[in-house]
Amino acid sequence: MRSKVSADVRNYYYTQDFGSPTVPNTYAYSLGGMLKVQTAPLYGVSAAIAFYTANDLGVNDHNGAPAYPHLDPLLMGTGHSLNVLGQAYLQYENHWATLRVGNQLLDTPWMWPADAFMIPNTFQAVYGALRPVAGVEIEGLRSFRYKNRTAPDYSRNNLLNLPPESLLYRQLPAEDNGALAFGVKLSAKPYGIPDLSGEAWFYRFYNLANFFWGTAHYGIPLGPVTPFVDAQFGRQWGDGANYAGPINATVYGIQGGVSTRYGMLFAAYNEIPSRHPFAVGGQRDLYNGGFISPYTQPYNADPLYTSIMNYGLVSASAPGHAWKVGFIFTPTPQWRVKYSYSWYHTAPYVQNLSANYLSVGYALTGMLQGLTLRDRLAIDHGFHNINNVPLGTLVDNRVMLQYTF
């Protein structure tokens, strides 16, 4: 086998228009990409590095420092450029096992790249996987440091340490001890049941929470259509110093629908039951009933069925329930259209919200294969900030042009 070189170039434009006359609209533009080199394996051992860059080309509005009222920092931070060595690891891999040590991407339900903007989440970690029999994979990891999507380097923190989440979690220290996780993935496909799978995980977010998470999927092929049902369950309880409060939370989810070669129709429900006491106010402590996610929360990158690109029950930081209905339409392999309408019922802790979400993607073929265009639009009614202050209707639009080679 030979060494591998992979890369992508992204051109991204992001706008947030608020219905409140007192809240300035924000936007952000960036041009950048990724270059990765992975050596050919020698007796199963290889090494890899990946460099990421994002640049605003002088387009973004940096007036009004340090608040930058018209600049959205989620895309690439508040600087004019962001250049990082995101991955640098050693790996051993064979048919039965994988062991990876260093700065890397992780792919687990609650610790993953969340690669929706310019640069993904990466973790300084030890990761291992065993594949003892067909359809079974056992994984484990221990992360020590973390680099979020807009950070210039690795540090001993998580997303709850940083604004805006730090407005809620005021007891968190400047540094944390990372996370430990174990999981098992099961698939019945090798045994003649093509659409039955599940996984279960245990996470320990040190001094924050312990977390059990499980999901299951079952589909019944009936000629051209496949009815399916999905279920998910999570249970969190405190760990160590309990810096986020005495966590004691549960989350349920169910999703069902019908899939075909042209897409799917679906309906989903999630609930985080309320537990008392739960303190509310301009700066509220998150006590029993609240649910935390140290590596996805402000990014809305969690795996709950009802989460969309800019909102969900986890980012609401409050108990409640949510519904979502929608469809995915793929008339040709090049086109992908997704629409959903969702309701989030979290009153009296934070105000209720409803949202329309539309994503349209097109992948070119032939000489331009590797070039994709995607536009994602969310219109949120009842939007509010981290302190539950109403911001009117939010129109959130994200356009990305990417070439992968």
Side-chain angles (χ1 to χ4, degrees), residues 2 41 82 103 111 155 170 173 189 222 224 259 267 282 305 310 327-328 331 345 377 383 392 400:
R2 298 181 178 180
L82 182 61
N103 301 342
M111 298 174 69
S155 62
R170 295 167 292 167
K189 187 174 182 179
L222 299 175
S259 65
Y305 299 137
N310 63 351
F327 65 83
I328 298 173
H345 300 268
L377 172 68
F383 196 75
M400 185 182 76

Side-chain angles (χ1 to χ4, degrees), residues 189-213:
K189 187 174 182 179
Y191 306 99
I193 307 176
D195 215 10
L196 175 63
S197 60
E199 59 185 298
W201 286 86
F202 170 79
Y203 293 87
R204 183 182 181 186
F205 302 126
Y206 287 96
N207 291 314
L208 295 174
N210 294 289
F211 183 18
F212 170 80
W213 174 254

Side-chain angles (χ1 to χ4, degrees), residues 255-335:
Q255 177 175 254
V258 177
S259 65
T260 75
R261 59 178 295 187
Y262 297 111
M264 69 170 64
L265 297 172
F266 63 87
Y269 176 81
N270 282 114
E271 181 176 359
I272 299 177
S274 174
R275 297 175 185 268
H276 296 285
F278 187 91
V280 296
Q283 289 186 325
R284 64 193 187 280
D285 292 321
L286 184 63
Y287 287 125
N288 298 348
F291 192 87
I292 67 166
S293 179
Y295 301 101
T296 72
Q297 189 155 318
Y299 292 161
N300 308 293
D302 59 79
L304 297 192
Y305 299 137
T306 54
S307 295
I308 60 173
M309 72 177 186
N310 63 351
Y311 201 73
L313 287 179
V314 175
S315 62
S317 297
H321 63 274
W323 291 89
K324 183 166 77 171
V325 295
F327 65 83
I328 298 173
F329 182 45
T330 54
T332 70
Q334 291 76 43
W335 283 99

Side-chain angles (χ1 to χ4, degrees), residues 344-404:
Y344 305 91
H345 300 268
T346 51
Y349 306 105
V350 298
Q351 63 180 309
N352 297 334
L353 183 147
S354 62
N356 288 278
Y357 172 70
L358 176 66
S359 173
V360 180
Y362 182 73
L364 283 75
T365 58
M367 294 181 61
L368 296 177
Q369 185 172 356
L371 183 64
T372 58
L373 175 64
R374 184 185 68 188
D375 191 351
R376 296 194 296 164
L377 172 68
I379 303 175
D380 300 346
H381 304 284
F383 196 75
H384 49 272
N385 67 11
I386 197 74
N387 290 322
N388 199 28
V389 176
L391 302 181
T393 296
L394 169 64
V395 180
D396 186 333
N397 193 52
R398 310 177 184 185
V399 182
M400 185 182 76
L401 180 68
Q402 175 175 279
Y403 181 54
T404 303

